[in-house]
Amino acid sequence: MKNLFKILLVGIISTICRILVQFLIPAGKQTVLQPSLFATNGTMQMAFSLYGIIVYSLIASLFFLICNHLSGNRILQGLKYGLSCCVVWIAYLYEPLPHVVWIDRITYPLADGVTLLIMGLLLGILFGKTRNVWVPKVLVKDMIPLITISVCFTVGRLIQYNIFDIYSSFNNKHLETMIWCVFTGLIIAGTMIWLNRYIRGKNKISRAIIIGSLLFGLDLLLFNFFMPLVFKVDIWDLILRTVIDICAVTLGCLTLKHYD
């Protein structure tokens, strides 16, 4: 119960920080998507606050999956986890989409990145324990999951663009979208390989589920569903892209090296 209260506190403080940062950044003006129901009826701030607390609390709770094997002082441990969340969110914020304007590529990565690092800092302060533990070194064998996860992600995206025709700029910005897919796949793969270093005593399937479906998947799910709070979007399209991305990455995570 005590830990639950602390996690909720992290979620509340992180949400407050995100809201405060939002007031400091200029709003980009786009004309592609209509405002959400929350935006038109004046309840978006309340909905954003409540959802934000849920999001940051759940992401914070995933810290317990790796914290026992993180090395260094507790502040560094928290910042490491916050950074792992941060790089994935920022990669997705750079996805070429019709409604994204240039200013959003600067302001939102800064706002979300700062918030996730603050969340990590709070986790380190509240739950971290300074420890010196064995940390596996990056090996040549890590190139296999790096390539596999990134290829799985890119193939998953090609399926989404060509078969399901998800909301994207693929038809108008083919090269830019493909470059984003490759680089984002590599960023995700690198992050999953790093997280895998702190998962112990799990078989291949359970490790892939923990890393691909929880540490990546839950993070992505919560990130994607910030969008309906602001814009009127196709929910099924959002669900489809989220599920396929998670399944693709989880499949690639089956090649991750086992650590005892």
Side-chain angles (χ1 to χ4, degrees):
M1 185 61 70
K2 185 178 180 181
N3 283 347
L4 182 62
F5 174 76
K6 288 181 179 179
I7 286 294
L8 185 60
L9 180 63
V10 171
I12 292 171
I13 295 175
S14 300
T15 302
I16 292 172
C17 290
R18 182 61 181 81
I19 293 171
L20 291 176
V21 173
Q22 185 68 36
F23 285 129
L24 299 176
I25 63 176
K29 295 182 179 179
Q30 60 84 36
T31 58
V32 177
L33 296 176
Q34 296 297 314
S36 69
L37 178 63
F38 301 107
T40 55
N41 65 17
T43 60
M44 188 174 73
Q45 289 185 346
M46 180 183 296
F48 186 94
S49 299
L50 291 174
Y51 184 66
I53 292 171
I54 293 171
V55 167
Y56 292 114
S57 296
L58 287 174
I59 294 175
S61 67
L62 296 177
F63 180 64
F64 291 111
L65 292 173
I66 64 170
C67 65
N68 289 335
H69 301 289
L70 285 169
S71 61
N73 64 59
R74 60 187 192 176
I75 300 298
L76 184 59
Q77 291 169 9
L79 288 176
K80 284 179 180 179
Y81 176 67
L83 184 61
S84 73
C85 300
C86 182
V87 294
V88 174
W89 277 39
I90 290 176
Y92 269 91
L93 286 169
Y94 278 98
E95 180 179 0
L97 293 172
H99 70 278
V100 176
V101 295
W102 71 269
I103 191 66
D104 292 340
R105 297 181 183 276
I106 300 173
T107 55
Y108 281 96
L110 285 173
D112 287 330
V114 167
T115 304
L116 288 168
L117 288 176
I118 290 173
M119 179 201 73
L121 180 63
L122 292 170
L123 287 171
I125 293 172
L126 293 173
F127 301 108
K129 292 181 180 180
T130 300
R131 57 171 68 89
N132 293 316
V133 295
W134 174 73
V135 178
K137 295 181 180 180
V138 176
L139 303 172
V140 176
K141 291 182 179 179
D142 289 326
M143 290 300 296
I144 296 175
L146 180 71
I147 294 171
T148 304
I149 295 172
S150 58
V151 167
C152 285
F153 176 81
T154 302
V155 170
R157 277 291 169 150
L158 286 172
I159 291 172
Q160 294 176 57
Y161 298 141
N162 292 293
I163 297 178
F164 297 107
D165 192 27
I166 64 165
Y167 172 69
S168 70
S169 297
F170 182 72
N171 292 329
N172 298 326
K173 299 179 179 180
H174 183 83
L175 180 60
E176 183 180 344
T177 302
M178 289 309 303
I179 291 173
W180 174 83
C181 287
V182 172
F183 275 96
T184 300
L186 290 171
I187 289 170
I188 293 170
T191 305
M192 298 307 106
I193 290 169
W194 180 81
L195 289 169
N196 181 55
R197 300 165 76 193
Y198 305 104
I199 302 295
R200 301 282 190 274
K202 304 292 182 181
N203 62 51
K204 185 175 293 188
I205 295 176
S206 62
R207 191 185 315 115
I209 292 172
I210 290 172
I211 298 174
S213 298
L214 285 178
L215 288 169
F216 169 75
L218 183 59
D219 193 15
L220 177 64
L221 175 68
L222 296 171
F223 167 81
N224 277 347
F225 277 84
F226 266 115
M227 196 171 177
L229 297 179
V230 183
F231 302 117
K232 186 177 181 181
V233 298
D234 185 341
I235 297 297
W236 289 112
D237 180 278
L238 199 58
I239 292 173
L240 183 65
R241 68 169 60 230
T242 303
V243 170
I244 293 178
D245 280 357
I246 293 172
C247 289
V249 171
T250 302
L251 181 64
C253 285
L254 290 171
T255 60
L256 289 169
K257 181 177 173 59
H258 174 74
Y259 294 110
D260 295 321

